[in-house]
Each structure stands twice: as structure tokens, then as C-alpha cells.
């Protein structure tokens, strides 16, 4: 994985994407859980955001470890790294929940289509 993107350290770019995507994923999954109309409107958006967040967390932690080698280890950097390492299991649970709601949506959509009889 490259340490830089467009001449900038990759870690801050990944982290900013992660910080935006994960709350959006959590919000859309929660709304899908409690509001059927939102679930219909959002479609597979909660699943897509959850998968994107699940991919971004390892990218962020890996690029952070690379940056940590350049910057050095301090107590604040260590605390920052510990917080990031605990995030992936929660994202996997969120993605699993989003998958459940995507399956529910897929089943609901299939049951609403008219059944055709063969001629």
C-alpha cells in the first residue's frame, strides 16, 4: 500500500474518509432497523456504507502504522492506535446488521412483484 496519495500522507486521507463513512453507515443501518419506509428508500446504501467502512478501517490502521514509524511513538500516538484497533469488530457487526436488512429488503421486493403463470 502506498504511504502517500497525491503527494500527501495517506493516513489522514483514509482517516477522514473513515470518520465520515462510519457514522453515516451507523445512522443508515439504525434508520433501516426502525423505519421501514427509510429501508425501502435507502435500498442497499446502508450495506454499501458498512462495507466501505469495514474496508477503510484496516486501510487507516495500516497506513497509521506506517506513519507511526516515521513520526515515532508517543503516549498520544499509542492511545490513538489502541482506539483504532478496537473499531474493526464493531464495524463487522454493523456490516452484518446491514446485510440482514439488505436481505429483508430483497425478500420484500421479491414478494411484491406479480407472479406470472406460464402459458
Amino acid at each position: 500500500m502506498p504511504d502517500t496519495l497525491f503527494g500527501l500522507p495517506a493516513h489522514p486521507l483514509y482517516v477522514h474518509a473513515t470518520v465520515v463513512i462510519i457514522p453515516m453507515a451507523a445512522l443508515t443501518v439504525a434508520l433501516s432497523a426502525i423505519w421501514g419506509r427509510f429501508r425501502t428508500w435507502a435500498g442497499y446504501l446502508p450495506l454499501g456504507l458498512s462495507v466501505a467502512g469495514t474496508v477503510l478501517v484496516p486501510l487507516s490502521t495500516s497506513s497509521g502504522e506506517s506513519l507511526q514509524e516515521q513520526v515515532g511513538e508517543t503516549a498520544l500516538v499509542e492511545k490513538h492506535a489502541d482506539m483504532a484497533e478496537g473499531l474493526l469488530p464493531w464495524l463487522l457487526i454493523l456490516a452484518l446488521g446491514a446485510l440482514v436488512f439488505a436481505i429483508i429488503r430483497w425478500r420484500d421486493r421479491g414478494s411484491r412483484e406479480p407472479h406470472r403463470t406460464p402459458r
Side-chain angles (χ1 to χ4, degrees):
M1 171 176 39
D3 290 338
T4 61
L5 293 172
F6 310 110
L8 298 171
H11 181 66
L13 299 173
Y14 290 138
V15 168
H16 280 91
T18 304
V19 165
V20 170
I21 296 291
I22 289 176
M24 286 175 47
L27 181 63
T28 58
V29 171
L31 286 174
S32 291
I34 61 174
W35 191 8
R37 191 170 180 184
F38 179 81
R39 184 171 47 248
T40 301
W41 175 84
Y44 298 105
L45 180 65
L47 179 61
L49 289 171
S50 298
V51 169
T54 304
V55 169
L56 282 168
V57 168
L59 286 174
S60 296
T61 54
S62 177
S63 64
E65 289 168 358
S66 176
L67 186 60
Q68 184 178 3
E69 290 174 7
Q70 297 173 7
V71 173
E73 194 167 319
T74 64
L76 187 58
V77 170
E78 186 64 32
K79 182 179 177 185
H80 181 81
D82 288 342
M83 287 173 31
E85 289 174 2
L87 190 57
L88 188 59
W90 293 104
L91 250 307
L92 292 172
I93 292 168
L94 184 68
L96 182 62
L99 179 63
V100 167
F101 291 118
I103 290 170
I104 290 170
R105 182 184 187 281
W106 178 72
R107 287 178 134 180
D108 287 349
R109 206 170 124 199
S111 67
R112 290 185 188 150
E113 292 180 7
H115 298 284
R116 296 184 185 198
T117 56
R119 292 183 181 188

